[in-house]
Amino acid sequence: MNALPTLTTARLTLRPPVADDADALFATMADAAAMRWWSCAPFEDIDALRAYLADGSAWSVVHDGRVAGFVSVHDRRPEVTEIGYLFVHAARGHGIAREAVAAAIAERFAAGYRRIFADTDPDNTASIRLLEALGFTCEGRLRGEWRTHIGVRDTLLYGLLSDDPR
């Protein structure tokens, strides 16, 4: 994947992470409740979080001068990318996630991707609501798909094609 470009929306800047972003995200990403649905256990070490954010596959989401979360994209096949996102507690409930994820989706489709998918835990109702609001379709359930820090979990696969109505 090439370096992600900086994106701007009405309220947000999505930019490649810098080392200091880990400071803003650590409290959330070290919190078991906030990380319940994430694919890895809560971070115990800020340096591990810095390394995690430095892999080049995410945008830090900046709102009012503070990092509010991140949106990640991982190429899985040609023209197909997986999207994920996580936001700090204070950013939730203000439409920031929807605005940020919509910007990332628009950029990926403009860059030539034909399909974006997300995999989410069936009990993660906030993520499911967001995906459906952005036009994603639930394409199926994979039983016992992930062994995570909270046990073996099913996953729901949501997909969005570049020519789907939004």
Side-chain angles (χ1 to χ4, degrees):
M1 176 190 302
N2 296 328
L4 296 174
T6 297
L7 309 175
T8 56
T9 70
R11 300 183 297 161
L12 309 173
T13 300
L14 283 72
R15 58 158 174 74
V18 297
D20 289 347
D21 293 351
D23 298 328
L25 295 170
F26 186 71
T28 298
M29 296 191 76
D31 178 46
M35 293 290 285
R36 178 169 180 79
W37 310 122
W38 201 248
S39 56
C40 66
F43 285 84
E44 296 178 4
D45 178 285
I46 197 162
D47 290 328
L49 178 56
R50 282 189 183 100
Y52 182 82
L53 294 172
D55 79 350
S57 64
W59 284 280
S60 286
V61 178
V62 180
H63 176 252
D64 288 340
R66 292 186 299 267
V67 175
F70 67 89
V71 178
S72 65
V73 286
H74 296 278
D75 291 353
R76 298 303 186 201
R77 291 174 293 291
E79 302 177 351
V80 176
T81 194
E82 180 178 7
I83 196 163
Y85 38 83
L86 191 136
F87 291 86
V88 300
H89 299 293
R92 296 176 187 168
H94 302 287
I96 293 169
R98 183 175 181 159
E99 190 173 331
V101 175
I105 290 167
E107 188 282 331
R108 294 286 82 186
F109 284 149
Y113 290 80
R114 64 177 169 76
R115 174 177 166 72
I116 299 172
F117 75 93
D119 102 31
T120 191
D121 190 286
D123 292 330
N124 188 348
T125 55
S127 185
I128 291 167
R129 278 195 309 270
L130 175 61
L131 292 168
E132 290 175 348
L134 291 169
F136 282 77
T137 299
C138 185
E139 299 174 329
R141 181 183 198 120
L142 301 176
R143 297 176 304 137
E145 175 68 0
W146 295 107
R147 179 173 299 285
T148 74
H149 54 286
I150 61 170
V152 175
R153 303 294 297 175
D154 291 1
T155 194
L156 296 178
L157 291 178
Y158 279 81
L160 183 65
L161 301 178
S162 59
D163 57 1
D164 281 347
R166 288 189 293 287

